């Protein structure tokens, strides 16, 4: 059977033997049909971990004049809800489907082997970018992606879930969930990790991605005056580690000396005065739930208050800088004559976070470690000069008391299904839409959900979501357009019911009532943990009605259960440790690996498989000695660096911010075989031995292993790229490229350490076998 297609089939013109005998025809434009106006441009600005009260239109004291203006002329959704965590919220926002259906029950750093955790957007779930691109839009993404699993963020991946494969024409940013704002660990342009050795001293990531966004828009207009565009500007700020420019921090000095209790009261008063909540709304007491407690500010010693205030000054500087950069973007749009017909959405992926713990930290990756076997001497903080807080040498996070203030007036934090985790600011501006009656400026108390954004933006652009795409039937939406709410302040909410689940925390909303849990990890799931609130009259979730309305608890609990099965929520996390599992195929990443000179930096996850919670040996062969770095792995948040300086071999080990140095003696001219052996010891520790030409030279003191997200920057050979492991060495030599001749660097991963997941699992298996 022939599969040849007739090249003239369906051609609407006429074909003769010559041009003169033929009549041409061209494809019709794919832009949305509109008799009187061009389709609007769309800009979605998504901030990371920003609380409800952190911008001026929602009660903040932080100057945000650009957002103030957009909110004044646009719409504030005061009852907008999202998912409590990064990747699920992004999946829901960009597809209009509930995140478990898309495969993002968790951040894209897990792989327990179940459908809800697939971390891949299927072909029958088009993104907003794909649908707009199909309709003739230029599509751009800058900043945080976090919709590709970390194990698939390397240059050898098929890139199926990278931005360009999900509908974007251009991309610039970081694929993972967080990064240093002064030294991003892996910048990607389009489909390619960029080969960057060093950043300028004045580099700042938020400025950079804004520059890139502006350049994309300018380039489009230089080439096409009419084509509408969709810009997805996803900030890594204000996610930890908190880092801000010195001049921005300086503007907020002293602003938070009165503490989080006073700040919370002040913000709540501003919210009430602005009419964001109904009369009678009360501010809850400080968060006091087990493991989430916040002490009274006045109970803290003065030195602690000064330290904690500094953290919040940095956080405020981050918010301030986001607004400044949004101003640069809107000024560009105005100069191009594009601002009036551009829909600008500003919101956050989830609420403010309590991840910094009660005390905050100057050692982000140490605080971020979640391991059941952490030894008693584990320090989730390091003693650093307060003047370094917020700069490139410190990876900090604020104490959760400030997270509580960020989420004013709500309870709890990111990761929770209480309002503090899921109610966030939302501003939508569209001057042309206001003039044409599509949008009536003001506040909206109607409940709307993150899945509503894609159908709303399609609606405002005059587009219908198709039933099929490229021959594939599309899954139905979960979100509903809220364009009627934008036009009519009195219109009812278009989203009447919604389940939610995050790491076992659950909730179910229906017509003003919300059923919610604060689930204790490892405990049974039962109806006893449900609380019930009427958020129409009690938006701050103070008055639990569960005992008074057992009928409604049972009804909404059953509705949650049904929605969970329908959306792929099960299985729920328990005490089995399944969330720490990885695809068995990843075991191949722990085979020996040889790196040759000129090899680009290895991606973070790929690098970690060679050393994480195990013994390992690094074999370094040099043809000729010289000065410089032989191998480096990590950054200012933790890592190791083997280098030759002044003819002597030295190991710099950065223990989550505490620098240890070991001198292994001289390395004379000529070829050498150098080895660094790390022996995993009980208590999540390593002991390093340095060998030159089969002779032991030095053994380091025992140090804590780098686990969890550390080392965050990947492996480089012959140079210490970007954020340095050793700041003193960086001050002396910058990236310190090796001047000798390096032959190869080979990693030999050894046995898992005594505290590794593999070792613990094997011990449990042996115990079970003995018992049987």
């Amino acid at each position: 059977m022939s599969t040849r297609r007739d090249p003239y089939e369906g051609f609407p013109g006429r074909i003769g033997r010559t041009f003169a005998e033929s009549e041409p025809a061209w494809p019709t434009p794919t832009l949305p049909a509109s008799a009187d106006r061009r389709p609007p441009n769309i800009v979605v600005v998504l901030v990371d971990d920003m609380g409800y009260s952190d911008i001026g239109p929602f009660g903040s004291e932080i100057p945000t004049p650009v957002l103030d203006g957009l909110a004044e002329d646009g719409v504030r959704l005061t009852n907008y809800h999202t998912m409590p965590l990064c990747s699920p919220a992004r999946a829901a926002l960009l597809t209009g489907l509930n995140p478990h259906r898309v495969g993002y029950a968790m951040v894209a750093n897990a792989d327990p082997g179940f459908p809800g955790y697939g971390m891949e957007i299927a072909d029958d779930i088009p993104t907003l970018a794909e649908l707009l691109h199909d309709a003739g839009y230029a599509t751009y993404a800058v900043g945080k992606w976090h919709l590709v699993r970390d194990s698939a963020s390397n240059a050898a991946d098929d890139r199926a879930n990278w931005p360009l494969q999900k509908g974007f024409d251009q991309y610039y940013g970081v694929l993972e969930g967080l990064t240093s704002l002064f030294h991003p660990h892996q910048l990607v342009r389009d489909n390619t990790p960029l080969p960057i050795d060093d950043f300028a001293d004045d580099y700042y990531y938020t400025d950079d991605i804004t520059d890139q966004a502006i350049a994309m828009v300018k380039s489009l207009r230089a080439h096409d005056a009419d084509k509408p565009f969709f810009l997805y500007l996803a900030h890594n700020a204000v996610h930890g580690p908190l880092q801000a420019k010195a001049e921005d921090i300086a503007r907020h000095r002293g602003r938070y000396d009165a503490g989080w209790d006073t700040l919370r009261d002040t913000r709540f008063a501003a919210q009430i005065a602005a009419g964001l909540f109904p009369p009678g709304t009360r501010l809850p007491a400080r968060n006091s739930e087990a493991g989430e407690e916040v002490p009274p500010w006045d109970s803290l010693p003065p030195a602690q208050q000064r330290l904690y205030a500094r953290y919040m000054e940095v956080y405020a500087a981050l918010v301030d800088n986001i607004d400044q950069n949004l101003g640069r973007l809107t000024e560009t749009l105005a100069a191009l004559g594009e601002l009036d017909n551009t829909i600008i959405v500003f919101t956050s992926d989830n609420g403010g976070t309590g991840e910094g713990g009660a005390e905050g930290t100057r050692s982000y990756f140490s605080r971020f470690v979640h391991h059941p076997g952490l030894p008693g001497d584990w320090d989730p903080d390091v003693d650093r000069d307060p003047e370094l807080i917020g700069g490139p040498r410190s990876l900090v996070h604020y104490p959760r008391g400030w997270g509580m203030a960020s989420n004013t007036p709500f309870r709890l934090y990111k990761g929770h299904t209480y309002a503090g985790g899921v109610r966030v600011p939302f501003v939508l501006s569209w001057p042309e839409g206001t003039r044409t009656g599509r949008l009536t400026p003001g506040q909206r108390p109607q409940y709307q959900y993150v899945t509503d954004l894609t159908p709303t933006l399609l609606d405002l652009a005059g587009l219908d979501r198709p039933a099929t795409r490229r021959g594939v039937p599309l899954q139905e939406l979960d979100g509903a357009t809220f364009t009627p709410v934008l036009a009519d302040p009195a219109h009812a909410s278009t989203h009447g019911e919604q389940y939610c689940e995050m790491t076992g925390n659950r909730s179910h909303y229906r017509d003003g009532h919300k059923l919610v849990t604060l689930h204790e990890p490892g405990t049974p799931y039962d109806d006893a943990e449900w609380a019930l609130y009427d958020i129409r009259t009690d938006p701050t979730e103070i008055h639990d009605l569960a005992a008074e309305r057992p009928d409604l608890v049972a009804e909404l609990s059953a509705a949650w259960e049904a929605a969970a099965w329908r959306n792929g929520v099960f299985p729920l996390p328990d005490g089995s440790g399944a969330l720490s599992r990885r695809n068995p195929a990843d075991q191949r990443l722990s085979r020996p690996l040889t790196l040759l000179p000129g090899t680009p930096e290895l991606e973070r996850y790929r690098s970690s498989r060679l050393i994480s919670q195990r013994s390992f040996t690094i074999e370094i062969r040099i043809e000729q000695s010289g000065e410089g770095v032989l191998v480096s792995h990590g950054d200012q948040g933790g890592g190791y660096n083997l280098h030759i300086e002044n003819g002597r071999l030295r190991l710099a080990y950065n223990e989550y911010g505490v620098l240890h140095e070991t001198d292994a003696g001289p390395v004379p001219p000529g070829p050498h075989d150098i080895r660094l052996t790390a022996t995993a010891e009980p208590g999540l520790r390593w002991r390093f031995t340095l060998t030159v030409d089969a002779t032991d030279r030095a053994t380091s003191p025992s140090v804590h292993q780098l686990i969890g997200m550390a080392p965050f920057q990947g492996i480089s050979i012959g140079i210490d790229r970007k954020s340095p492991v050793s700041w003193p060495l960086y001050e002396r030599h910058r990236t310190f490229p090796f001047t000798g001749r390096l032959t190869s660097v080979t990693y030999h991963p050894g046995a898992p350490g005594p505290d590794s997941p593999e070792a613990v699992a094997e011990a449990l298996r042996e115990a079970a076998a003995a018992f049987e």
Side-chain angles (χ1 to χ4, degrees), residues 40-47 66-77 229-233 235 322-323 325-334 338-347 425-434 439 453 456-457 460 482 486:
N41 304 314
I42 298 171
V43 175
V44 173
V45 181
L46 186 65
V47 184
V66 178
L67 281 167
D68 294 350
L70 293 175
E72 184 66 27
D73 296 332
V75 167
R76 277 178 281 180
L77 298 185
F229 66 84
F230 168 46
L231 170 63
Y232 176 58
L233 202 172
H235 288 285
I322 288 170
D323 191 76
N325 276 292
L326 182 56
R328 293 201 297 126
L329 176 60
T330 56
E331 287 170 4
T332 300
L333 295 175
E338 301 280 335
L339 186 58
D340 278 1
N341 198 30
T342 299
I343 300 167
I344 299 178
V345 172
F346 182 96
T347 189
F426 186 101
V427 174
L428 189 149
S429 170
W430 183 24
E432 176 67 19
T434 299
L439 184 149
L453 192 55
T456 298
L457 293 175
L460 293 177
F482 53 78
L486 295 176

Coordinates of all heavy atoms in Angstrom, one line a residue, residues 40-47 66-77 229-233 235 322-323 325-334 338-347 425-434 439 453 456-457 460 482 486:
P40 N -4.5 40.5 22.6 CA -3.6 41.1 23.6 C -2.4 40.3 23.8 O -2.3 39.1 23.6 CB -4.5 41.1 24.9 CG -5.4 39.9 24.7 CD -5.7 39.9 23.2
N41 N -1.3 41.0 24.1 CA -0.1 40.4 24.7 C -0.4 39.8 26.1 O -1.3 40.4 26.7 CB 1.1 41.3 24.7 CG 1.4 42.0 23.4 OD1 1.5 41.3 22.4 ND2 1.6 43.3 23.4
I42 N 0.3 38.8 26.5 CA 0.1 38.3 27.8 C 1.4 38.1 28.6 O 2.3 37.5 28.0 CB -0.6 36.9 27.8 CG1 -2.0 37.0 27.1 CG2 -0.8 36.3 29.1 CD1 -2.6 35.7 26.8
V43 N 1.5 38.7 29.8 CA 2.7 38.6 30.6 C 2.2 38.0 31.9 O 1.4 38.6 32.6 CB 3.3 39.9 30.8 CG1 4.5 39.8 31.8 CG2 3.8 40.5 29.5
V44 N 2.7 36.8 32.3 CA 2.5 36.2 33.6 C 3.8 36.3 34.4 O 4.8 35.7 34.0 CB 2.0 34.8 33.5 CG1 1.9 34.1 34.8 CG2 0.7 34.7 32.7
V45 N 3.7 37.1 35.5 CA 4.8 37.2 36.4 C 4.6 36.3 37.6 O 3.6 36.6 38.4 CB 5.1 38.7 36.8 CG1 6.3 38.8 37.8 CG2 5.2 39.6 35.6
L46 N 5.3 35.3 37.8 CA 5.1 34.3 38.9 C 6.3 34.4 39.8 O 7.5 34.2 39.4 CB 5.0 32.9 38.3 CG 4.7 31.8 39.3 CD1 3.3 32.0 39.9 CD2 4.8 30.4 38.7
V47 N 6.0 34.8 41.1 CA 7.1 34.9 42.1 C 7.1 33.6 42.9 O 6.1 32.9 43.0 CB 6.8 36.1 43.0 CG1 7.9 36.3 44.0 CG2 6.7 37.4 42.1
V66 N 5.2 50.0 41.3 CA 4.7 49.5 40.0 C 3.5 48.6 40.2 O 2.5 48.7 39.5 CB 5.9 48.7 39.2 CG1 5.4 48.2 37.9 CG2 7.0 49.7 39.0
L67 N 3.6 47.7 41.1 CA 2.5 46.8 41.4 C 1.3 47.6 42.0 O 0.1 47.3 41.7 CB 2.9 45.7 42.4 CG 3.6 44.6 41.8 CD1 4.3 43.7 42.9 CD2 2.7 43.7 40.9
D68 N 1.6 48.6 42.7 CA 0.5 49.5 43.2 C -0.3 50.1 42.1 O -1.5 50.1 42.1 CB 1.0 50.6 44.1 CG 1.7 50.2 45.4 OD1 1.5 49.0 45.7 OD2 2.3 51.0 46.1
G69 N 0.4 50.5 41.1 CA -0.2 51.1 39.9 C -1.0 50.1 39.1 O -2.1 50.4 38.7
L70 N -0.5 48.9 38.9 CA -1.2 47.9 38.2 C -2.4 47.5 38.9 O -3.5 47.3 38.3 CB -0.3 46.7 38.0 CG 1.0 46.9 37.1 CD1 1.8 45.6 37.0 CD2 0.5 47.2 35.6
A71 N -2.4 47.4 40.2 CA -3.5 47.0 41.0 C -4.6 48.1 41.0 O -5.8 47.8 41.0 CB -3.1 46.7 42.4
E72 N -4.2 49.3 41.1 CA -5.1 50.4 41.1 C -5.9 50.5 39.8 O -7.1 50.8 39.8 CB -4.3 51.7 41.3 CG -5.2 53.0 41.4 CD -6.1 53.0 42.7 OE1 -5.6 52.4 43.7 OE2 -7.2 53.6 42.7
D73 N -5.3 50.2 38.7 CA -6.0 50.2 37.4 C -6.5 48.9 37.0 O -7.2 48.8 35.9 CB -5.0 50.7 36.3 CG -4.6 52.1 36.6 OD1 -5.3 52.9 37.2 OD2 -3.4 52.5 36.2
G74 N -6.3 47.8 37.8 CA -6.7 46.5 37.4 C -7.5 45.8 38.5 O -8.3 46.5 39.2
V75 N -7.4 44.5 38.6 CA -8.3 43.7 39.5 C -7.3 43.0 40.4 O -6.3 42.4 40.1 CB -9.1 42.7 38.7 CG1 -9.7 41.7 39.6 CG2 -10.2 43.4 37.9
R76 N -7.7 43.0 41.7 CA -7.1 42.2 42.7 C -8.1 41.1 43.1 O -9.2 41.3 43.6 CB -6.8 43.0 44.0 CG -5.6 43.8 44.0 CD -5.4 44.6 45.2 NE -6.2 45.9 45.2 CZ -6.2 46.8 46.2 NH1 -5.5 46.6 47.3 NH2 -7.0 47.8 46.1
L77 N -7.6 39.8 42.9 CA -8.4 38.7 43.4 C -7.9 38.4 44.9 O -6.8 38.0 45.1 CB -8.1 37.4 42.6 CG -8.5 37.5 41.1 CD1 -8.3 36.1 40.5 CD2 -10.0 37.9 41.0
F229 N 2.4 38.4 21.8 CA 3.4 37.5 22.5 C 2.9 37.1 23.9 O 2.0 37.8 24.5 CB 4.8 38.2 22.7 CG 4.8 39.4 23.5 CD1 4.9 39.3 24.9 CD2 4.7 40.7 23.0 CE1 4.9 40.5 25.7 CE2 4.7 41.8 23.8 CZ 4.8 41.7 25.1
F230 N 3.3 36.0 24.3 CA 3.1 35.5 25.7 C 4.5 35.4 26.4 O 5.4 34.7 25.9 CB 2.5 34.1 25.7 CG 2.4 33.4 27.0 CD1 2.1 34.0 28.2 CD2 2.8 32.0 27.1 CE1 2.1 33.4 29.4 CE2 2.7 31.3 28.3 CZ 2.4 32.0 29.4
L231 N 4.6 36.1 27.5 CA 5.9 36.1 28.2 C 5.6 35.5 29.6 O 4.8 36.0 30.4 CB 6.4 37.5 28.4 CG 7.6 37.7 29.4 CD1 8.8 36.9 28.9 CD2 8.0 39.2 29.5
Y232 N 6.2 34.4 29.9 CA 6.1 33.7 31.2 C 7.4 34.1 32.0 O 8.5 33.6 31.7 CB 6.0 32.2 31.0 CG 6.0 31.4 32.3 CD1 5.0 31.6 33.3 CD2 6.9 30.4 32.5 CE1 5.0 30.8 34.4 CE2 6.9 29.5 33.6 CZ 5.9 29.8 34.6 OH 5.9 29.0 35.7
L233 N 7.3 35.0 33.0 CA 8.4 35.5 33.7 C 8.4 34.9 35.1 O 7.7 35.5 36.0 CB 8.4 37.1 33.7 CG 9.7 37.8 34.0 CD1 9.5 39.3 33.8 CD2 10.3 37.6 35.4
H235 N 10.1 34.2 38.4 CA 11.2 34.6 39.3 C 11.6 33.4 40.2 O 10.8 32.7 40.7 CB 10.9 35.7 40.2 CG 10.8 37.1 39.4 ND1 11.9 37.7 39.0 CD2 9.7 37.8 39.1 CE1 11.6 38.8 38.4 NE2 10.2 38.9 38.4
I322 N 12.2 43.0 42.7 CA 11.2 42.4 41.7 C 10.3 43.5 41.1 O 10.1 43.6 39.9 CB 10.4 41.3 42.4 CG1 11.2 40.1 42.6 CG2 9.1 41.0 41.5 CD1 10.5 39.0 43.5
D323 N 9.9 44.4 42.0 CA 9.0 45.5 41.5 C 9.8 46.5 40.6 O 9.3 46.9 39.6 CB 8.5 46.3 42.7 CG 7.4 47.3 42.4 OD1 6.2 46.8 42.1 OD2 7.7 48.5 42.3
N325 N 12.3 45.7 38.7 CA 12.4 45.0 37.4 C 11.1 44.9 36.6 O 11.1 45.0 35.4 CB 13.1 43.6 37.6 CG 14.6 43.7 37.7 OD1 15.2 44.0 36.7 ND2 15.1 43.4 38.9
L326 N 10.0 44.8 37.3 CA 8.7 44.8 36.6 C 8.5 46.2 36.0 O 8.0 46.4 34.9 CB 7.6 44.5 37.6 CG 6.2 44.5 37.0 CD1 6.1 43.5 35.9 CD2 5.2 44.1 38.1
G327 N 9.0 47.2 36.7 CA 8.9 48.6 36.2 C 9.7 48.8 34.9 O 9.3 49.4 34.0
R328 N 10.9 48.1 34.9 CA 11.7 48.2 33.6 C 11.0 47.5 32.5 O 11.0 48.0 31.3 CB 13.1 47.5 33.8 CG 14.0 48.3 34.8 CD 15.4 47.9 34.6 NE 15.7 46.5 34.9 CZ 16.3 45.7 34.0 NH1 16.7 46.1 32.8 NH2 16.5 44.4 34.3
L329 N 10.3 46.4 32.8 CA 9.6 45.7 31.7 C 8.4 46.6 31.2 O 8.1 46.7 30.0 CB 9.1 44.4 32.2 CG 8.2 43.6 31.3 CD1 8.9 43.3 30.0 CD2 7.8 42.3 31.9
T330 N 7.6 47.1 32.2 CA 6.4 47.9 31.8 C 6.8 49.2 31.0 O 6.1 49.6 30.1 CB 5.5 48.2 33.0 OG1 6.3 48.9 34.0 CG2 4.9 47.0 33.6
E331 N 8.0 49.8 31.4 CA 8.4 51.0 30.7 C 8.8 50.6 29.3 O 8.5 51.4 28.3 CB 9.7 51.5 31.4 CG 9.3 52.3 32.7 CD 10.6 52.6 33.5 OE1 11.7 52.3 33.0 OE2 10.4 53.1 34.6
T332 N 9.4 49.4 29.1 CA 9.7 49.0 27.7 C 8.4 48.8 26.9 O 8.4 49.2 25.7 CB 10.5 47.7 27.8 OG1 11.7 47.9 28.5 CG2 10.8 47.2 26.4
L333 N 7.4 48.1 27.5 CA 6.2 47.9 26.8 C 5.5 49.3 26.5 O 5.0 49.4 25.4 CB 5.2 47.1 27.7 CG 5.7 45.7 28.0 CD1 4.7 45.0 28.9 CD2 5.8 44.9 26.7
A334 N 5.6 50.2 27.4 CA 5.0 51.5 27.1 C 5.8 52.2 26.0 O 5.1 52.8 25.1 CB 5.1 52.4 28.4
E338 N 2.9 49.1 23.6 CA 2.3 47.8 23.8 C 1.6 47.7 25.2 O 0.8 46.7 25.4 CB 3.4 46.7 23.8 CG 4.2 46.6 22.5 CD 3.4 45.9 21.4 OE1 2.5 45.1 21.7 OE2 3.7 46.2 20.2
L339 N 1.8 48.6 26.1 CA 1.4 48.4 27.5 C -0.1 48.3 27.6 O -0.7 47.5 28.3 CB 1.9 49.5 28.4 CG 1.6 49.3 29.9 CD1 2.2 48.0 30.4 CD2 2.2 50.5 30.7
D340 N -0.9 49.2 26.8 CA -2.3 49.2 27.0 C -3.0 47.9 26.6 O -4.0 47.5 27.2 CB -2.9 50.4 26.1 CG -2.8 51.7 26.8 OD1 -2.3 51.7 27.9 OD2 -3.3 52.7 26.2
N341 N -2.4 47.2 25.6 CA -3.0 46.0 25.1 C -2.2 44.8 25.6 O -2.1 43.8 24.9 CB -3.2 46.0 23.6 CG -4.2 44.9 23.2 OD1 -5.1 44.6 23.9 ND2 -4.0 44.4 22.0
T342 N -1.7 44.9 26.8 CA -0.9 43.8 27.4 C -1.6 43.4 28.7 O -1.8 44.2 29.6 CB 0.5 44.1 27.7 OG1 1.2 44.4 26.4 CG2 1.2 42.9 28.3
I343 N -2.0 42.1 28.8 CA -2.6 41.6 30.1 C -1.4 41.2 30.9 O -0.5 40.4 30.5 CB -3.4 40.3 29.8 CG1 -4.6 40.6 28.9 CG2 -3.9 39.7 31.1 CD1 -5.3 39.4 28.4
I344 N -1.3 41.8 32.1 CA -0.2 41.5 33.1 C -0.8 40.8 34.3 O -1.7 41.4 34.9 CB 0.6 42.7 33.5 CG1 1.3 43.4 32.2 CG2 1.6 42.4 34.5 CD1 2.0 44.7 32.5
V345 N -0.4 39.6 34.6 CA -0.8 38.9 35.8 C 0.4 38.8 36.7 O 1.5 38.5 36.3 CB -1.3 37.5 35.4 CG1 -1.5 36.7 36.7 CG2 -2.5 37.6 34.6
F346 N 0.2 39.1 38.0 CA 1.2 39.0 39.0 C 0.7 38.1 40.1 O -0.3 38.5 40.7 CB 1.7 40.4 39.5 CG 2.8 40.3 40.5 CD1 4.1 40.5 40.1 CD2 2.5 40.1 41.9 CE1 5.1 40.4 41.1 CE2 3.5 40.0 42.8 CZ 4.9 40.2 42.4
T347 N 1.4 37.0 40.4 CA 1.0 36.2 41.5 C 2.2 35.4 42.0 O 3.3 35.6 41.6 CB -0.2 35.3 41.1 OG1 -0.7 34.6 42.3 CG2 0.2 34.3 40.1
P425 N -1.2 36.6 46.8 CA -1.6 37.8 46.1 C -1.9 37.5 44.6 O -1.2 36.7 44.0 CB -0.5 38.8 46.3 CG 0.7 38.0 46.5 CD 0.2 36.8 47.3
F426 N -2.8 38.2 44.0 CA -3.1 38.1 42.6 C -3.5 39.4 42.0 O -4.5 40.0 42.5 CB -4.2 37.0 42.3 CG -4.4 36.7 40.9 CD1 -3.9 35.6 40.3 CD2 -5.2 37.6 40.1 CE1 -4.1 35.3 39.0 CE2 -5.4 37.3 38.7 CZ -4.9 36.2 38.2
V427 N -2.8 39.9 41.0 CA -3.1 41.2 40.4 C -3.2 41.0 38.9 O -2.4 40.3 38.3 CB -2.1 42.3 40.7 CG1 -2.3 43.6 39.9 CG2 -2.0 42.6 42.2
L428 N -4.3 41.5 38.3 CA -4.4 41.4 36.8 C -4.7 42.8 36.3 O -5.6 43.5 36.7 CB -5.5 40.4 36.4 CG -5.6 40.1 34.9 CD1 -6.1 38.7 34.7 CD2 -6.5 41.1 34.1
S429 N -3.9 43.2 35.3 CA -4.0 44.6 34.7 C -4.2 44.4 33.2 O -3.4 43.6 32.6 CB -2.8 45.4 35.0 OG -2.8 46.6 34.3
W430 N -5.1 45.2 32.6 CA -5.3 45.2 31.1 C -6.0 46.5 30.7 O -7.2 46.5 30.7 CB -6.0 44.0 30.7 CG -6.2 43.9 29.2 CD1 -5.4 44.4 28.2 CD2 -7.2 43.1 28.5 NE1 -5.8 44.1 27.0 CE2 -6.9 43.3 27.1 CE3 -8.3 42.3 28.9 CZ2 -7.8 42.7 26.1 CZ3 -9.1 41.7 27.9 CH2 -8.8 41.9 26.6
P431 N -5.3 47.6 30.5 CA -6.0 48.8 30.2 C -6.9 48.8 29.1 O -8.0 49.3 29.1 CB -4.8 49.8 29.9 CG -3.7 49.2 30.7 CD -3.8 47.8 30.6
E432 N -6.6 48.1 28.0 CA -7.5 47.9 26.8 C -8.7 47.2 27.2 O -9.8 47.5 26.8 CB -6.7 47.2 25.7 CG -7.6 47.0 24.5 CD -8.0 48.2 23.7 OE1 -7.4 49.3 23.9 OE2 -9.0 48.2 22.9
G433 N -8.6 46.2 28.0 CA -9.7 45.4 28.5 C -10.6 46.2 29.4 O -11.9 46.1 29.4
T434 N -10.1 47.2 30.1 CA -10.9 48.1 31.0 C -11.7 49.0 30.1 O -12.9 49.2 30.3 CB -10.0 48.9 31.9 OG1 -9.3 48.0 32.8 CG2 -10.8 49.9 32.7
L439 N -12.9 44.2 31.6 CA -12.4 44.2 33.0 C -12.9 45.4 33.7 O -12.8 46.5 33.2 CB -10.8 44.2 32.9 CG -10.0 44.1 34.1 CD1 -8.7 43.3 33.9 CD2 -9.6 45.5 34.6
L453 N -6.4 29.9 35.6 CA -5.7 31.0 34.9 C -5.6 30.7 33.4 O -5.8 31.6 32.6 CB -4.3 31.2 35.5 CG -3.6 32.4 35.0 CD1 -4.4 33.7 35.2 CD2 -2.2 32.6 35.7
T456 N -8.8 31.3 31.6 CA -9.1 32.7 31.6 C -8.3 33.5 30.6 O -8.9 34.3 29.8 CB -8.9 33.3 33.0 OG1 -9.7 32.6 34.0 CG2 -9.1 34.8 33.1
L457 N -7.0 33.2 30.5 CA -6.2 33.9 29.6 C -6.5 33.5 28.1 O -6.5 34.4 27.2 CB -4.7 33.6 29.9 CG -4.2 34.2 31.2 CD1 -2.8 33.8 31.5 CD2 -4.3 35.8 31.2
L460 N -9.7 35.6 27.4 CA -9.4 37.0 27.1 C -8.7 37.2 25.8 O -8.8 38.3 25.2 CB -8.5 37.5 28.3 CG -9.1 37.6 29.7 CD1 -8.1 38.1 30.7 CD2 -10.3 38.6 29.6
F482 N -12.5 32.8 34.7 CA -13.2 33.8 35.6 C -13.3 35.1 34.9 O -13.4 36.2 35.5 CB -12.5 33.9 36.9 CG -11.0 34.2 36.9 CD1 -10.5 35.5 36.6 CD2 -10.1 33.2 37.2 CE1 -9.1 35.7 36.7 CE2 -8.7 33.4 37.2 CZ -8.3 34.7 36.9
L486 N -14.1 39.1 36.3 CA -13.2 40.3 36.0 C -14.1 41.4 35.5 O -13.9 42.6 35.8 CB -12.2 39.9 34.9 CG -11.1 38.9 35.3 CD1 -10.2 38.6 34.1 CD2 -10.3 39.4 36.5

